[in-house]
Amino acid sequence: DRADLRGLVRHLRRGETIWYAPDQDYGRKHSVYAPFFGVPAATITATARIARLSGSPVIPMAYYRLPKGRYRLVFQPPLENFPSGDDLEDAVRVNHIVEQSVRHAPGQYLWVHRRFKHQPDSNNPYPQKA
């Protein structure tokens, strides 16, 4: 349950694995504006927060659809020096990793989930807090 942060952290502290999608726009409350394909995007800070609370490494993963209902999973090395303690820096880093994955198969990315629905004031495109 995405609303059960405590349960998620407990799972990680026990050495269990979770999958977490960091590219969702859940609004301004727990987000910063970080570039995503050059456009300011409300980016959740939960990835860094979960790593900080659990002490768990963050391992970027992407998956790609293949013919015949198969998938290819691609794991990267765990992020070093993450979280950095700077929410914006961490969000920029996460968005960059997602961008790299999307560039491999842009037609497979779920563009319809309105990644850019919350936009900053046009006078300040990258405020610290979304």
Side-chain angles (χ1 to χ4, degrees):
D1 181 356
R2 74 177 186 192
D4 184 14
L5 182 61
R6 288 183 188 169
L8 186 144
V9 169
R10 276 195 305 273
H11 284 289
L12 289 170
R13 286 182 178 167
R14 287 194 302 254
E16 296 177 24
T17 302
I18 65 153
W19 175 81
Y20 184 82
D23 62 333
Q24 302 296 307
D25 181 345
Y26 291 127
R28 296 176 174 96
K29 187 174 181 183
H30 300 290
S31 300
V32 293
Y33 282 103
F36 186 67
F37 287 99
V39 178
T43 304
I44 53 177
T45 58
T47 307
R49 183 174 177 211
I50 291 166
R52 185 172 45 257
L53 291 171
S54 68
S56 180
V58 174
I59 301 171
M61 187 268 299
Y63 52 92
Y64 303 99
R65 287 186 305 275
L66 300 173
K68 300 181 182 179
R70 300 185 66 159
Y71 288 85
R72 178 172 55 103
L73 303 178
V74 178
F75 292 90
Q76 295 181 25
L79 298 182
E80 293 186 20
N81 303 315
F82 189 89
S84 70
D86 180 324
D87 285 344
L88 181 58
E89 179 181 318
D90 292 339
V92 168
R93 190 170 176 192
V94 167
N95 279 355
H96 179 73
I97 291 166
V98 174
E99 279 183 29
Q100 288 176 321
S101 297
V102 171
R103 287 180 195 280
H104 287 289
Q108 293 187 18
Y109 187 65
L110 186 61
W111 295 102
V112 297
H113 73 64
R114 298 177 56 206
R115 181 69 176 94
F116 306 103
K117 66 184 169 187
H118 293 98
Q119 288 296 296
D121 178 338
S122 62
N123 295 325
N124 189 4
Y126 295 106
Q128 178 63 26
K129 278 294 199 185

